[in-house]
Amino acid sequence: MKSEPDVFSLADLRKAPAMTAHWDGVRNYQARNYIRDRMRHGDLAYFYHSSCRPPGIAGIIEIVSAPYADHTAFDSKNPHFDPAGTADNPRWYMVDVRFRQAFDTLITLDTLRQHPPLLPLPLLQRGNRLSVMPVLPEQWKLIETLAR
DNA sequence: GCCAACGTTGGC
DNA sequence: GCCAACGTTGGC
């Protein structure tokens, strides 16, 4: 799961009440589908820092809710306001996430690219901007070995 | 700050 | 339903 640390970082999540926050603001259908259809309470995710130097994986978070309507889409003052959805039939979804672990050293994008089994990740593919994506179990284990 | 790549929008 | 224009993303 990607976030710009200037906007919301892993350290921000750690400081949040109960180290837990909404992962709101996803407004891309493919990312929405992964949240809505694939995420389950108790799943783990890598927290990736984007649009910073260097970009990379900062640590691990846990999904601590089922997917539910992203209510920020209903708020006309929110920058991600989208009047298309309703409470009964929401267009956008989010989950709650809880801080689990901060790596001592960022696993940089550059490091990730050096491991061929990771190359199929959308993250590493040219031009891809998907902000939420699945990680295969083998990929998860390999990334864990890169963490310090 | 630049710009390539991509998704979305809307006129036709 | 095509596709040009536009806005956004995100590495560099």
Side-chain angles (χ1 to χ4, degrees):
Chain A
M1 300 174 76
K2 296 198 281 191
S3 178
E4 300 185 18
D6 290 350
V7 178
F8 188 75
S9 69
L10 183 61
D12 292 331
L13 180 61
R14 189 175 204 165
K15 286 182 288 193
M19 298 189 188
T20 301
H22 303 143
W23 198 274
D24 60 83
V26 172
R27 297 291 181 271
N28 168 281
Y29 288 105
Q30 196 178 358
R32 186 279 310 270
N33 292 347
Y34 284 134
I35 291 173
R36 185 191 60 188
D37 305 335
R38 309 272 293 271
M39 281 192 177
R40 294 297 175 258
H41 192 296
D43 287 350
L44 299 180
Y46 286 122
F47 192 126
Y48 179 87
H49 284 176
S50 64
S51 287
C52 57
R53 283 192 57 85
I57 299 173
I60 295 175
I61 59 180
E62 180 179 356
I63 312 307
V64 291
S65 75
Y68 62 105
D70 181 345
H71 52 69
T72 67
F74 306 139
D75 174 6
S76 61
K77 297 188 196 74
N78 190 282
H80 303 295
F81 174 60
D82 183 351
T86 64
D88 280 351
N89 185 23
R91 172 171 291 190
W92 303 114
Y93 283 77
M94 63 183 177
V95 287
D96 295 345
V97 297
R98 182 188 297 149
F99 174 87
R100 283 284 293 250
Q101 179 185 351
F103 299 146
D104 292 340
T105 307
L106 195 77
I107 305 174
T108 65
L109 179 60
D110 196 46
T111 297
L112 295 171
R113 289 194 194 285
Q114 292 165 19
H115 296 274
L118 303 180
L119 296 182
L121 283 171
L123 180 72
L124 302 184
Q125 278 163 32
R126 177 185 176 81
N128 199 288
R129 304 180 311 198
L130 192 60
S131 66
V132 176
M133 69 192 72
V135 178
L136 296 173
E138 314 87 81
Q139 294 170 331
W140 181 277
K141 287 179 198 148
L142 172 51
I143 294 169
E144 273 187 318
T145 70
L146 307 175
R148 275 178 287 141

